């Protein structure tokens, strides 16, 4: 069951080379200058907000207002399937522009806001925060690689630990360029169960986002590739940490011990960002908010300054 939105709607905007498009948003709680909202950016790219709905706990338990949104090309926002493969259109700058429009729509520049990005959403957030956007108070980069090539090295190390038959299916698919076979998809699922979400039964919210990715792979296929294990899109050489020294707000890094985003690809954020803290969840992979939700939410809420969360952290210690 999804969160109860206090406000929901779309932001209409003219997108170069695409015309009139809309970005869906849903607000939980009532943001104010004394209680600024946390903007939540989903991963994928193209996964939609559904798998992040558990983060509504940040409002129900800690009183933090939230702004969910679906990025262009997925979820309840405008889909552009005719743009599949158009790497000049689907760019990081496109999504930074969308994010800036969202912030201006809610008139948050003066009152301020926090930002949380998970996976690709964190990549986007890191690149955007390096431009020092007006109004940003704190930044959370969750399960977000600072470098796609370094993430690939980490993933190769995890693949090396898979059963031999699974490894061979992945290698054959890459060799043949055939990523549609059942064997390849089954092999990917073995990896996902270890390094994307380790829960025995995946929550419906995650299943919804995965279905949406499968039904419209336009953005994911163009920017990333056929799966988490094979990067063919225009993010293949992306390295966001090169500008991360310009990030001038307090930043929290989160990843899981079993995360497909291994430490090798998180460390560059840690070394480049001046005011930074890094927490790793011992029992999590890529979906710590689903795998260890209470600790995950408490860590974020405490970082954002929630007195209740800070007391819980002190009590837990």
């Amino acid at each position: 069951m999804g969160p109860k939105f206090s406000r929901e709607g779309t932001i209409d905007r003219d997108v170069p080379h695409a015309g009139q498009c809309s970005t869906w948003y849903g607000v939980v709680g009532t943001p104010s200058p004394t209680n600024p909202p946390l903007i939540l950016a989903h991963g994928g790219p193209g996964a939609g907000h559904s798998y992040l709905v558990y983060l509504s706990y940040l409002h129900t338990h800690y009183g933090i207002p939230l702004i969910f949104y679906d990025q262009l090309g997925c979820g309840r926002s405008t889909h552009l399937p005719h743009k599949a493969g158009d790497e000049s259109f689907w760019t990081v700058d496109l999504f930074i522009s969308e994010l800036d429009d969202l912030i201006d729509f809610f008139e948050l520049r003066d009152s301020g806001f926090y930002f949380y990005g998970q996976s690709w959403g964190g990549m986007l957030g890191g690149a955007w925060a390096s431009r020092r956007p007006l109004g940003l108070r704190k930044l959370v980069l969750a399960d977000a690689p600072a470098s796609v090539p370094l993430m690939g090295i980490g993933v190769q190390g995890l693949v090396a630990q898979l059963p031999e038959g699974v490894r061979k299916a992945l290698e054959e698919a890459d060799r043949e360029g055939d990523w549609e076979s059942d064997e390849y998809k089954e092999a990917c699922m073995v990896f996902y169960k270890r390094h994307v979400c380790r829960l025995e039964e995946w929550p419906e919210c995650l299943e919804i986002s995965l279905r949406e990715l499968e039904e419209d792979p336009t953005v994911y296929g163009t920017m990333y590739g056929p799966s988490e294990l094979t990067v063919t899109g225009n993010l293949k050489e992306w390295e966001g940490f090169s500008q991360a020294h310009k990030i001038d707000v307090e930043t929290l890094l989160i990843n899981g011990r079993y995360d497909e985003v291994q430490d090798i690809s998180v460390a560059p954020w840690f070394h480049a960002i001046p005011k930074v803290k890094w927490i790793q969840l011992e029992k999590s992979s890529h979906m710590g908010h689903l795998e260890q939700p209470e600790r995950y939410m408490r860590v974020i809420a405490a970082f954002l300054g929630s007195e209740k969360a800070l007391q819980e952290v002190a009590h837990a210690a």
Side-chain angles (χ1 to χ4, degrees):
M1 187 174 179
K4 184 177 181 180
F5 296 117
S6 57
R7 180 181 173 189
E8 186 177 356
T10 58
I11 302 168
D12 297 324
R13 50 199 290 269
D14 187 58
V15 177
H17 309 294
Q20 193 75 5
C21 297
S22 64
T23 297
W24 174 90
Y25 67 83
V27 182
V28 177
T30 306
S32 70
T34 56
N35 193 17
L38 176 65
I39 297 173
L40 303 157
H42 62 74
H49 80 282
S50 294
Y51 78 99
L52 294 180
V53 296
Y54 272 36
L55 288 162
S56 59
Y57 184 86
L58 289 170
H59 175 70
T60 57
H61 196 67
Y62 298 110
I64 300 169
L66 308 171
I67 299 176
F68 293 88
Y69 76 106
D70 283 336
Q71 296 159 24
L72 186 64
C74 71
R76 304 181 199 178
S77 295
T78 299
H79 288 238
L80 298 166
H82 63 285
K83 291 287 188 181
D86 188 347
E87 295 189 355
S88 65
F89 178 79
W90 298 109
T91 63
V92 174
D93 281 344
L94 172 71
F95 292 103
I96 286 178
S97 173
E98 178 182 44
L99 176 57
D100 279 330
D101 285 349
L102 177 84
I103 293 161
D104 291 335
F105 175 82
F106 283 102
E107 300 180 339
L108 298 174
R109 298 295 184 183
D110 293 333
S111 57
F113 57 91
Y114 306 123
F115 180 88
Y116 165 96
Q118 199 276 336
S119 194
W120 145 254
M123 295 164 60
L124 169 64
W128 166 76
S130 70
R131 303 183 184 188
R132 298 181 175 175
L134 184 64
L136 177 62
R137 293 189 182 185
K138 292 185 179 182
L139 176 69
V140 181
L141 305 181
D143 316 285
S147 159
V148 173
L150 288 178
M151 179 180 168
I153 292 172
V155 166
Q156 288 172 14
L158 297 175
V159 168
Q161 301 172 36
L162 295 175
E164 183 179 358
V166 175
R167 295 199 313 272
K168 286 185 175 180
L170 295 173
E171 291 167 1
E172 182 177 353
D174 285 339
R175 187 169 54 250
E176 300 295 329
D178 177 14
W179 300 294
E180 296 299 323
S181 70
D182 290 340
E183 291 78 10
Y184 178 72
K185 292 177 180 178
E186 288 170 6
C188 285
M189 188 54 66
V190 173
F191 179 89
Y192 294 167
K193 287 285 188 177
R194 293 187 181 196
H195 304 296
V196 174
C197 183
R198 292 172 70 84
L199 295 176
E200 187 172 336
E201 185 174 343
W202 286 4
E204 178 63 16
C205 64
L206 178 56
E207 296 285 3
I208 289 171
S209 285
L210 293 176
R211 281 200 300 271
E212 289 181 349
L213 270 176
E214 187 173 355
E215 289 167 2
D216 186 355
T218 300
V219 189
Y220 185 79
T222 304
M223 297 187 74
Y224 203 79
S227 78
E228 295 295 277
L229 297 167
T230 305
V231 188
T232 57
N234 59 357
L235 289 175
K236 187 173 184 178
E237 304 299 329
W238 185 87
E239 294 194 317
F241 69 91
S242 62
Q243 299 298 311
H245 61 281
K246 297 178 182 178
I247 297 175
D248 61 355
V249 297
E250 290 181 61
T251 301
L252 173 65
L253 307 175
I254 305 174
N255 75 326
R257 177 184 176 187
Y258 304 101
D259 207 322
E260 64 175 353
V261 178
Q262 288 283 284
D263 291 359
I264 188 176
S265 61
V266 178
W269 290 132
F270 186 73
H271 295 302
I273 299 172
K275 294 176 283 188
V276 65
K277 180 179 183 179
W278 182 359
I279 289 179
Q280 184 174 87
L281 302 178
E282 280 296 308
K283 300 177 182 178
S284 295
S285 60
H286 197 56
M287 298 284 165
H289 67 290
L290 302 176
E291 296 161 309
Q292 290 182 256
E294 289 190 12
R295 182 171 183 231
Y296 191 98
M297 309 298 175
R298 185 167 62 241
V299 164
I300 291 176
F303 173 71
L304 298 182
S306 163
E307 288 295 333
K308 182 177 182 180
L310 289 167
Q311 290 172 7
E312 290 177 353
V313 169
H315 180 72

